[in-house]
Amino acid sequence: MDVERGERKVRVPIDPRFVWGFCMTMATIRFFFTKPMSILVYGSIALRLTGILLFGSGIVLYVLATRVLSSHHTSMNWGESIRTLVTVGVYSRTRNPQFLSFVLVGLGVSFVMNTWGFILLLIPFIAYVQLIVIPAEEKALMLAFKEDYKRYRDETPQWLMV
């Protein structure tokens, strides 16, 4: 379902992609310049394969979300006007596929590198997104699309594609 209505802008203090990049950079610095905190004493093949699967799933999810938004002429850039409510494709399974993809990539990297560092630095990212970004997005979407967004919000999970 595509709904086009008045333009609203989502305003957040810091672009979530910057926060995610900062967290991943800090985890990388911690990994390379300090003794890593291993998830397992001896890295297992299963852990690394799980990490590759999570990382790949995150990349695929991000690409799919970007393509769906692009095909509906909607931007993923915060601060730009919201013109269309996109509820198809991956957006029919989760309201926040791009944030979910960032978490999957972070978990995947952590598992492949067998370190808690990336997982620990995902916590501030998830908190920022959950407490600041998503409420701002939902407020703007509710103002722009009213009942259509309320119905979508009630039918579609916020994070998981369950």
Side-chain angles (χ1 to χ4, degrees), residues 96 99 124-136 158-159:
N96 298 291
F99 300 139
F125 170 75
I126 293 169
Y128 177 71
V129 165
Q130 187 66 37
L131 299 175
I132 295 172
V133 177
I134 290 175
Q158 189 176 65
W159 283 86

Side-chain angles (χ1 to χ4, degrees), residues 77-96:
N77 296 325
W78 287 266
E80 290 188 13
S81 295
I82 303 168
R83 293 186 185 96
T84 306
L85 178 62
V86 179
T87 61
V88 297
V90 293
Y91 286 89
S92 67
R93 298 297 205 155
T94 175
R95 295 193 317 262
N96 298 291

Side-chain angles (χ1 to χ4, degrees):
M1 163 177 56
D2 297 333
V3 180
E4 294 191 30
R5 292 229 181 94
E7 296 184 7
R8 297 281 182 192
K9 293 184 179 182
V10 176
R11 298 189 195 312
V12 293
I14 304 170
D15 186 325
R17 292 170 294 193
F18 173 79
V19 174
W20 182 80
F22 177 78
C23 290
M24 292 299 103
T25 301
M26 292 298 101
T28 302
I29 289 170
R30 178 168 180 347
F31 178 79
F32 286 111
F33 294 108
T34 64
K35 184 178 178 190
M37 303 175 294
S38 296
I39 295 172
L40 298 174
V41 177
Y42 300 103
S44 74
I45 294 294
L47 182 71
R48 295 192 195 295
L49 290 175
T50 302
I52 290 168
L53 181 66
L54 288 169
F55 181 86
S57 298
I59 297 297
V60 168
L61 184 59
Y62 187 83
V63 168
L64 291 174
T66 303
R67 284 188 175 179
V68 169
L69 290 178
S70 178
S71 70
H72 289 83
H73 308 292
T74 301
S75 174
M76 282 181 54
N77 296 325
W78 287 266
E80 290 188 13
S81 295
I82 303 168
R83 293 186 185 96
T84 306
L85 178 62
V86 179
T87 61
V88 297
V90 293
Y91 286 89
S92 67
R93 298 297 205 155
T94 175
R95 295 193 317 262
N96 298 291
Q98 62 276 62
F99 300 139
L100 181 57
S101 71
F102 294 162
V103 171
L104 291 173
V105 166
L107 288 173
V109 168
S110 193
F111 285 12
V112 167
M113 298 179 110
N114 190 25
T115 180
W116 286 101
F118 290 93
I119 294 173
L120 294 176
L121 285 168
L122 279 173
I123 294 169
F125 170 75
I126 293 169
Y128 177 71
V129 165
Q130 187 66 37
L131 299 175
I132 295 172
V133 177
I134 290 175
E137 282 185 348
E138 290 191 339
K139 181 179 177 185
L141 289 165
M142 192 62 116
L143 287 171
F145 303 106
K146 298 176 182 32
E147 287 302 315
D148 292 320
Y149 180 70
K150 186 177 184 309
R151 186 172 38 259
Y152 172 63
R153 185 190 66 201
D154 292 344
E155 294 172 357
T156 310
Q158 189 176 65
W159 283 86
L160 298 176
M161 299 177 280
V162 182

